[in-house]
Amino acid sequence: MTNEYIETLLDRKEYHCPVCGERRYVTDNGNHEWTVHCSSVQARFWDFERGTMAQTVARQHWDQSRLELFFTMEELLRRLQ
């Protein structure tokens, strides 16, 4: 699976964050599996002071935005052509 294909896929509105509508980005990837999360400032829980309500809300946003994309071997091979 090429990065270009994933970026094109993530540009589609149906793959945007269900919490705020912002675009997601890849946070982890493997052979057949990609994990994506919200790219908004509101989901960046690591930027908030530890243990605060703001950090908790941001972490919930981050967790709710998680999406795992699974690709079949056929999809992977088709994208490589």
Side-chain angles (χ1 to χ4, degrees):
M1 190 66 52
T2 65
N3 287 343
E4 182 180 313
Y5 173 73
I6 295 296
E7 292 302 318
T8 301
L9 189 68
L10 294 177
D11 281 337
R12 294 169 48 186
K13 289 288 185 195
E14 63 263 30
Y15 288 99
H16 285 199
C17 177
V19 177
C20 69
E22 285 292 320
R23 190 177 186 281
R24 290 177 173 147
Y25 71 102
V26 177
T27 57
D28 189 27
N29 63 10
N31 293 330
H32 301 82
E33 179 181 336
W34 295 67
T35 304
V36 295
H37 284 93
C38 182
S39 64
S40 75
V41 172
Q42 295 88 353
R44 295 174 52 100
F45 66 91
W46 55 88
D47 286 344
F48 293 91
E49 189 172 332
R50 191 177 188 103
T52 63
M53 181 57 79
Q55 185 190 43
T56 300
V57 170
R59 179 59 194 237
Q60 289 172 346
H61 185 149
W62 172 263
D63 290 341
Q64 291 170 0
S65 75
R66 179 187 176 116
L67 175 66
E68 292 185 5
L69 303 171
F70 299 94
F71 302 99
T72 65
M73 186 58 79
E74 291 80 20
E75 288 173 308
L76 293 171
L77 291 173
R78 191 171 51 243
R79 297 296 169 211
L80 292 174
Q81 297 176 357

